[in-house]
Amino acid sequence: MKELAEILLTPEQIAARVQELGAQITKDYQGKNLVVIGILKGALPFMADLIRQIKVPLRYDLMAVSSYGASTKTSGAVQILKDIEMGLEGEDVLVVEDIIDTGLTLNYLLRNLQARHPASLKVCTLLDKPSRREVEITPEYNGFVIPDRFVVGYGLDYAERFRELPMIGVLKPEVYQGK
Ligand code: IMP
Ligand code: MG
Protein backbone atom coordinates (compact mmCIF):
# COMPACT_ATOMS: atom_id res chain seq x y z
CA MET A 1 0.00 0.00 0.00
CA LYS A 2 1.77 3.10 -1.21
CA GLU A 3 -0.27 5.39 1.09
CA LEU A 4 0.98 3.60 4.23
CA ALA A 5 4.17 4.83 5.87
CA GLU A 6 4.27 1.83 8.19
CA ILE A 7 2.29 -1.32 9.01
CA LEU A 8 1.40 -1.33 12.69
CA LEU A 9 -0.60 -4.57 12.87
CA THR A 10 -0.64 -7.41 10.35
CA PRO A 11 -3.79 -9.40 9.55
CA GLU A 12 -2.27 -12.31 11.52
CA GLN A 13 -1.64 -10.18 14.61
CA ILE A 14 -5.17 -8.81 14.45
CA ALA A 15 -6.71 -12.28 14.06
CA ALA A 16 -4.73 -13.70 16.99
CA ARG A 17 -5.79 -10.86 19.28
CA VAL A 18 -9.44 -11.05 18.17
CA GLN A 19 -9.41 -14.73 19.08
CA GLU A 20 -8.07 -13.91 22.56
CA LEU A 21 -10.67 -11.21 23.09
CA GLY A 22 -13.41 -13.60 21.96
CA ALA A 23 -12.21 -16.23 24.42
CA GLN A 24 -12.18 -13.70 27.28
CA ILE A 25 -15.66 -12.45 26.42
CA THR A 26 -16.92 -16.05 26.12
CA LYS A 27 -15.69 -16.70 29.67
CA ASP A 28 -17.16 -13.51 31.10
CA TYR A 29 -20.61 -13.79 29.51
CA GLN A 30 -21.57 -17.38 30.39
CA GLY A 31 -25.31 -17.45 31.15
CA LYS A 32 -25.80 -13.75 30.33
CA ASN A 33 -28.06 -12.03 27.80
CA LEU A 34 -25.29 -10.74 25.57
CA VAL A 35 -26.15 -7.98 23.14
CA VAL A 36 -23.25 -6.73 21.02
CA ILE A 37 -23.61 -3.23 19.62
CA GLY A 38 -21.20 -2.37 16.84
CA ILE A 39 -20.48 1.25 16.06
CA LEU A 40 -20.57 1.93 12.34
CA LYS A 41 -18.75 2.20 10.21
CA GLY A 42 -15.31 1.62 11.66
CA ALA A 43 -16.10 -1.33 13.93
CA LEU A 44 -17.69 -3.44 11.18
CA PRO A 45 -14.75 -5.72 10.24
CA PHE A 46 -13.70 -6.08 13.88
CA MET A 47 -17.21 -6.89 15.04
CA ALA A 48 -17.75 -9.39 12.23
CA ASP A 49 -14.60 -11.25 13.24
CA LEU A 50 -15.16 -10.90 16.99
CA ILE A 51 -18.71 -12.29 17.12
CA ARG A 52 -17.48 -15.45 15.44
CA GLN A 53 -14.95 -15.92 18.25
CA ILE A 54 -17.55 -15.47 21.00
CA LYS A 55 -18.94 -18.88 21.91
CA VAL A 56 -22.02 -17.82 23.87
CA PRO A 57 -25.39 -17.05 22.29
CA LEU A 58 -25.66 -13.38 21.43
CA ARG A 59 -27.68 -10.89 19.48
CA TYR A 60 -26.14 -7.95 17.71
CA ASP A 61 -27.23 -4.60 16.41
CA LEU A 62 -25.54 -1.62 14.85
CA MET A 63 -25.41 2.05 15.63
CA ALA A 64 -23.96 4.89 13.63
CA VAL A 65 -22.64 8.02 15.25
CA SER A 66 -20.75 10.86 13.77
CA SER A 67 -18.17 13.09 15.35
CA TYR A 68 -15.67 13.46 12.54
CA GLY A 69 -15.75 15.09 9.17
CA ALA A 70 -12.99 14.46 6.68
CA SER A 71 -10.47 15.44 9.30
CA THR A 72 -8.13 13.67 11.68
CA LYS A 73 -9.32 15.63 14.72
CA THR A 74 -12.55 15.11 16.65
CA SER A 75 -15.06 17.94 16.89
CA GLY A 76 -16.55 16.51 20.10
CA ALA A 77 -20.05 17.02 18.73
CA VAL A 78 -21.65 13.58 18.60
CA GLN A 79 -24.75 12.79 16.60
CA ILE A 80 -26.68 9.51 16.41
CA LEU A 81 -27.13 8.88 12.71
CA LYS A 82 -28.65 5.41 13.11
CA ASP A 83 -30.03 3.96 16.32
CA ILE A 84 -30.36 0.29 17.26
CA GLU A 85 -33.73 -1.37 16.86
CA MET A 86 -33.82 -3.52 20.01
CA GLY A 87 -34.54 -2.47 23.57
CA LEU A 88 -31.69 -2.85 26.06
CA GLU A 89 -33.51 -3.06 29.38
CA GLY A 90 -32.06 -5.96 31.38
CA GLU A 91 -29.56 -6.90 28.65
CA ASP A 92 -25.81 -7.35 29.05
CA VAL A 93 -24.59 -4.87 26.50
CA LEU A 94 -21.13 -4.91 24.96
CA VAL A 95 -20.29 -1.92 22.78
CA VAL A 96 -17.74 -2.71 20.07
CA GLU A 97 -15.63 0.20 18.82
CA ASP A 98 -12.76 0.46 16.38
CA ILE A 99 -10.69 2.96 18.36
CA ILE A 100 -10.90 5.15 21.44
CA ASP A 101 -9.05 8.38 20.90
CA THR A 102 -10.23 11.39 22.90
CA GLY A 103 -13.04 9.24 24.31
CA LEU A 104 -15.64 11.90 23.53
CA THR A 105 -17.65 9.70 21.15
CA LEU A 106 -17.85 6.81 23.55
CA ASN A 107 -18.50 9.03 26.54
CA TYR A 108 -21.60 10.39 24.87
CA LEU A 109 -22.68 6.97 23.64
CA LEU A 110 -22.30 5.26 27.00
CA ARG A 111 -24.45 7.88 28.72
CA ASN A 112 -27.06 7.46 26.04
CA LEU A 113 -27.07 3.66 26.33
CA GLN A 114 -26.96 3.68 30.14
CA ALA A 115 -30.22 5.64 30.12
CA ARG A 116 -31.86 2.59 28.50
CA HIS A 117 -31.23 0.57 31.69
CA PRO A 118 -29.12 -2.39 30.53
CA ALA A 119 -28.18 -4.97 33.19
CA SER A 120 -24.54 -4.25 32.35
CA LEU A 121 -22.69 -2.06 29.89
CA LYS A 122 -19.11 -2.73 28.81
CA VAL A 123 -16.80 -1.70 26.01
CA CYS A 124 -14.60 -3.71 23.69
CA THR A 125 -12.30 -1.63 21.52
CA LEU A 126 -9.84 -2.92 18.98
CA LEU A 127 -7.46 0.02 19.43
CA ASP A 128 -6.82 2.47 22.23
CA LYS A 129 -4.85 5.73 22.08
CA PRO A 130 -4.82 6.58 25.80
CA SER A 131 -2.39 9.47 25.35
CA ARG A 132 -5.11 11.46 23.59
CA ARG A 133 -7.87 10.97 26.17
CA GLU A 134 -9.97 14.02 27.11
CA VAL A 135 -12.54 12.17 29.22
CA GLU A 136 -11.87 9.22 31.47
CA ILE A 137 -12.88 5.98 29.76
CA THR A 138 -11.28 2.61 30.35
CA PRO A 139 -12.48 -0.15 28.03
CA GLU A 140 -13.01 -3.52 29.70
CA TYR A 141 -11.64 -5.24 26.58
CA ASN A 142 -8.84 -3.68 24.62
CA GLY A 143 -7.16 -5.17 21.56
CA PHE A 144 -4.06 -3.02 21.25
CA VAL A 145 -2.76 0.13 22.87
CA ILE A 146 -1.22 2.23 20.13
CA PRO A 147 0.80 5.46 20.06
CA ASP A 148 -0.64 8.79 18.97
CA ARG A 149 -0.54 8.20 15.23
CA PHE A 150 -3.39 8.41 12.74
CA VAL A 151 -4.08 4.84 11.60
CA VAL A 152 -6.20 3.34 8.84
CA GLY A 153 -7.31 -0.11 7.70
CA TYR A 154 -9.47 -2.95 9.10
CA GLY A 155 -12.43 -0.57 9.26
CA LEU A 156 -10.56 2.62 10.14
CA ASP A 157 -10.75 5.34 7.55
CA TYR A 158 -9.37 8.59 6.45
CA ALA A 159 -12.15 10.45 4.61
CA GLU A 160 -13.93 7.10 4.02
CA ARG A 161 -10.87 5.55 2.41
CA PHE A 162 -8.71 2.57 3.44
CA ARG A 163 -11.41 0.78 5.50
CA GLU A 164 -11.03 -2.34 3.35
CA LEU A 165 -7.33 -2.90 4.09
CA PRO A 166 -6.73 -6.18 5.97
CA MET A 167 -3.91 -4.63 8.04
CA ILE A 168 -3.70 -1.53 10.23
CA GLY A 169 -1.13 1.03 9.23
CA VAL A 170 0.00 4.58 9.66
CA LEU A 171 -0.99 6.86 6.86
CA LYS A 172 1.73 8.92 5.21
CA PRO A 173 1.25 12.51 6.44
CA GLU A 174 1.22 13.81 2.87
CA VAL A 175 -2.02 11.88 2.20
CA TYR A 176 -3.95 14.24 4.47
CA GLN A 177 -1.67 17.24 4.51
CA GLY A 178 -2.33 17.69 0.83
CA LYS A 179 -6.05 18.28 1.55
P1 IMP B 1 -12.89 9.88 19.92
O1 IMP B 1 -14.26 10.45 20.13
O2 IMP B 1 -11.86 10.96 19.82
O3 IMP B 1 -12.52 8.82 20.91
O4 IMP B 1 -12.89 9.28 18.47
C1 IMP B 1 -13.33 8.03 18.16
C2 IMP B 1 -13.55 7.91 16.67
O5 IMP B 1 -12.63 8.73 15.94
C3 IMP B 1 -13.30 6.53 16.19
O6 IMP B 1 -14.46 5.72 16.26
C4 IMP B 1 -12.79 6.74 14.78
O7 IMP B 1 -13.87 6.81 13.87
C5 IMP B 1 -12.12 8.09 14.82
N1 IMP B 1 -10.65 7.98 14.96
C6 IMP B 1 -9.88 8.31 16.02
N2 IMP B 1 -8.58 8.06 15.81
C7 IMP B 1 -8.50 7.55 14.56
C8 IMP B 1 -7.41 7.08 13.75
O8 IMP B 1 -6.22 7.05 14.13
N3 IMP B 1 -7.74 6.62 12.52
C9 IMP B 1 -9.01 6.60 12.05
N4 IMP B 1 -10.07 7.03 12.77
C10 IMP B 1 -9.82 7.50 14.02
MG1 MG C 1 -13.99 7.46 11.34
Side-chain angles (χ1 to χ4, degrees):
M1 268 304 297
K2 65 177 185 341
E3 284 97 344
L4 295 185
E6 186 190 325
I7 292 175
L8 220 60
L9 298 164
T10 65
E12 292 73 23
Q13 287 174 308
I14 297 169
R17 188 68 184 120
V18 169
Q19 197 171 6
E20 287 175 359
L21 290 170
Q24 187 65 51
I25 292 166
T26 300
K27 227 172 95 204
D28 296 350
Y29 284 86
Q30 295 292 328
K32 306 257 186 187
N33 302 316
L34 177 56
V35 172
V36 174
I37 300 181
I39 310 305
L40 292 171
K41 302 170 209 171
L44 186 70
F46 175 43
M47 175 179 169
D49 288 342
L50 183 67
I51 54 173
R52 288 175 289 174
Q53 298 296 332
I54 299 175
K55 313 294 184 192
V56 293
L58 62 83
R59 287 169 295 150
Y60 70 76
D61 209 334
L62 296 158
M63 232 172 147
V65 298
S66 161
S67 59
Y68 278 66
S71 142
T72 59
K73 286 227 175 80
T74 188
S75 64
V78 180
Q79 236 187 316
I80 294 184
L81 303 176
K82 181 216 172 295
D83 207 340
I84 51 169
E85 285 157 31
M86 56 177 82
L88 297 180
E89 184 142 8
E91 309 290 354
D92 295 293
V93 175
L94 181 64
V95 176
V96 174
E97 254 288 25
D98 52 358
I99 186 166
I100 308 178
D101 188 25
T102 63
L104 292 169
T105 308
L106 209 52
N107 186 50
Y108 171 86
L109 205 62
L110 290 176
R111 285 165 192 263
N112 183 291
L113 294 174
Q114 194 66 62
R116 306 180 196 195
H117 307 293
S120 66
L121 181 60
K122 291 186 181 179
V123 173
C124 177
T125 188
L126 176 68
L127 304 176
D128 189 5
K129 274 190 214 171
S131 60
R132 297 244 316 156
R133 207 69 101 246
E134 287 178 25
V135 287
E136 203 186 306
I137 287 196
T138 309
E140 284 80 4
Y141 306 96
N142 192 348
F144 302 92
V145 174
I146 62 164
D148 181 15
R149 315 277 298 274
F150 194 80
V151 295
V152 296
Y154 197 65
L156 291 135
D157 74 305
Y158 169 68
E160 298 302 326
R161 293 176 59 206
F162 312 110
R163 292 193 197 274
E164 74 280 19
L165 298 182
M167 74 290 275
I168 291 171
V170 178
L171 206 53
K172 284 181 182 160
E174 58 261 35
V175 178
Y176 49 86
Q177 275 166 5
K179 301 264 162 79

